[in-house]
Amino acid sequence: MTSFPALTLLLLLPLAGTGLCLLFRRKPDLCRAVTLATTLVMLALCVWAFCQQPDAAGWYLREDYPWIERLGARFTLAMDGLSLLMVVLTTFLQVIAVLISWHQKKYPAFFYALLLLMEAGILGVFLASDLLLFYLFWEVMLIPMFFLIGIWGHGRRVYAAVKFFLFTLAGSLLMLLAIIGLYLLHGRQTGDYSFALEALRNTDCGAWEPWLYAGFMLGFLVKVPVVPLHTWLPDAHTVAPAAGSLDLAGLLLKTGVFGILRFAFPLFPASAAASLPLLAFLALVGLFYAAWCAYIQGDVKRLIAYSSVSHLGMIMLGLAAANVLALEGAILLMLCHGLTTGALFALVSMLRRRTGTRELAKLGGMWKEAPIFSCFFLFFALASLGLPGLANFSGEILVFAGTFQVRPLWGALAVVGVVFAAAYILRMVQELLWGERPPGHPWPDLTTLEVVALAPLVFFTLWLGLYPETFLAHLHLPVKILLEQAAPLVAAHGGLP
């Protein structure tokens, strides 16, 4: 590991960019340039980290500084293979978010400042190893999204923003209570009041463990989201601006799954093991229910929003299977979903700018009208469906393989869910690309800037589909360590690896 404070720099850069955007708020072109430059520098820093080698404990980078010593809180940041992939995904998608919002006209400086502030919050969630610091970043990332939906959204944007905020805030407060309870229990047992993850992992929670675990899990499951805690997501996606939907689908939903893997499972392994059947049930219900809801939607964006809930059900099934294959597949599927569904949301926003609508009944004939748009849309729709050779397939096949090892019935039910996914994806593609073209003005095809924004997503969708080992190699050690720390998870499935 290096002594260079790369992790701190990853958090300071977007905060500095936020300040510059607000300082030069009367110069929107300068704010755009500052935002793009900031996100590119951060992506380059993450690519450098991606090329490093971890130490024996699995850490690529680790930094620890005094913070609130009276409370036992420290500014501790750490990057293992899991957080590395999430950080790379965050910095990559934020570059795309800036590009697809390049011509933002409404309060551009404030808009770009919020994008950078949200990026800082999300990165902090993926890097924090102190629970108080983690909670601070968890709350920070919610505020920019609230304003992005409430100010730059359309339709019932205020309703959707408030609903998003209330759902996530309620879950966050329950998690805060659980963090405080764990902190006090550990302090009373050891005399050392600390929020450090490594220290709290050794706490004997006794009869309080199920309640503390429930507090953490409710905070995370709202963010995933699982059915029935999902109702805020379709509303938020439907009205959010392009960059907001991209960040919601690609990044914010992943923080809930990450929190389960990083905090809930290692801190409360016995309760986690007991909850696996319930998690599997919720995952399968979400997989089928959301797929059915997606099939009956007339709004393309709302259809894709429900498809996100269904895909997250597959990811949660991987967590419930809790073995090496399933966990690696679930994490890989998080990356794939971020790319493919994020791209679909970006394309739907581009479609609405051209046509003024997202209703399938008012669209059609895009293959002849806008062939470049149609090629991109078909590519990402098939990737979202799980076509072999494209991103989602590699993650899904690992989840299936791992689930069949421990609970064949769960795996068999999940395979049936793929049929539902094919139904709503192919219906959307058929009606949008080859349906009857309604009368009206011609619709222009994608611009050069839009093609430039989408091309990297195509490249990595192919990379993840054709050779996922580049990314899986970073997961072998952290997944092994996670299962060692949470041994009851393995025992719950009969000791299978």
Side-chain angles (χ1 to χ4, degrees), residues 145-146 149-150 156-166 239:
M145 182 56 70
F146 171 79
I149 296 172
R156 303 177 67 192
R157 62 182 187 272
V158 175
Y159 166 81
V162 171
K163 187 175 183 179
F164 158 77
F165 192 78
L166 290 178
V239 304

Side-chain angles (χ1 to χ4, degrees), residues 4-7 9-10 13 40-50:
F4 176 65
L7 301 183
L9 190 60
L10 271 176
L13 278 172
L40 286 173
V41 170
M42 294 173 65
L43 177 58
L45 191 58
C46 289
V47 171
W48 168 80
F50 191 83

Side-chain angles (χ1 to χ4, degrees), residues 212-229:
L212 297 175
Y213 175 70
F216 274 85
M217 287 298 288
L218 284 171
F220 296 140
L221 292 177
V222 167
K223 188 60 63 65
V224 170
V226 299
V227 177
L229 305 173

Side-chain angles (χ1 to χ4, degrees), residues 357-411:
T357 183
R358 298 189 310 256
E359 293 295 327
L360 284 170
K362 299 178 182 179
L363 297 167
M366 292 299 295
W367 190 261
K368 290 184 178 180
E369 194 77 19
I372 299 175
F373 168 90
S374 300
C375 287
F376 276 109
F377 193 88
L378 179 62
F379 176 83
F380 288 113
L382 293 178
S384 181
L385 175 60
L387 189 73
L390 301 179
N392 284 38
F393 177 79
S394 56
E396 288 178 359
I397 199 68
L398 286 174
V399 171
F400 286 141
T403 304
F404 271 108
Q405 280 189 2
V406 294
R407 293 291 185 270
L409 178 60
W410 296 357

Side-chain angles (χ1 to χ4, degrees), residues 234-397:
D235 292 332
H237 267 313
T238 302
V239 304
S245 288
L246 178 65
D247 283 348
L248 258 180
L251 303 177
L252 261 71
L253 305 188
K254 310 306 183 295
T255 60
V257 181
F258 178 86
I260 294 172
L261 291 170
R262 174 68 79 226
F263 297 101
F265 279 5
L267 286 172
F268 313 104
S271 295
S275 73
L276 293 182
L278 176 60
L279 288 181
F281 174 77
L282 294 175
L284 291 170
V285 168
L287 181 65
F288 285 96
Y289 172 77
W292 172 252
C293 289
Y295 183 78
I296 63 175
Q297 296 303 313
D299 184 312
V300 184
K301 200 173 186 184
R302 200 168 180 87
L303 186 157
I304 299 171
Y306 275 107
S307 79
S308 278
V309 180
S310 184
H311 282 117
L312 267 295
M314 183 72 72
I315 293 170
M316 290 302 299
L317 183 65
L319 268 62
N323 64 1
V324 173
L325 278 178
L327 288 175
E328 289 186 359
I331 298 166
L332 186 66
L333 191 53
M334 284 200 288
L335 291 179
C336 301
H337 175 267
L339 297 177
T340 57
T341 304
L344 286 174
F345 277 122
L347 282 162
V348 171
S349 296
M350 296 171 189
L351 177 68
R352 185 179 182 275
R353 283 201 295 268
R354 286 159 170 75
T355 65
T357 183
R358 298 189 310 256
E359 293 295 327
L360 284 170
K362 299 178 182 179
L363 297 167
M366 292 299 295
W367 190 261
K368 290 184 178 180
E369 194 77 19
I372 299 175
F373 168 90
S374 300
C375 287
F376 276 109
F377 193 88
L378 179 62
F379 176 83
F380 288 113
L382 293 178
S384 181
L385 175 60
L387 189 73
L390 301 179
N392 284 38
F393 177 79
S394 56
E396 288 178 359
I397 199 68

Side-chain angles (χ1 to χ4, degrees), residues 460-471:
F460 283 103
T461 298
L462 288 169
W463 191 347
L464 279 160
L466 296 173
Y467 192 69
E469 182 59 28
T470 306
F471 305 89

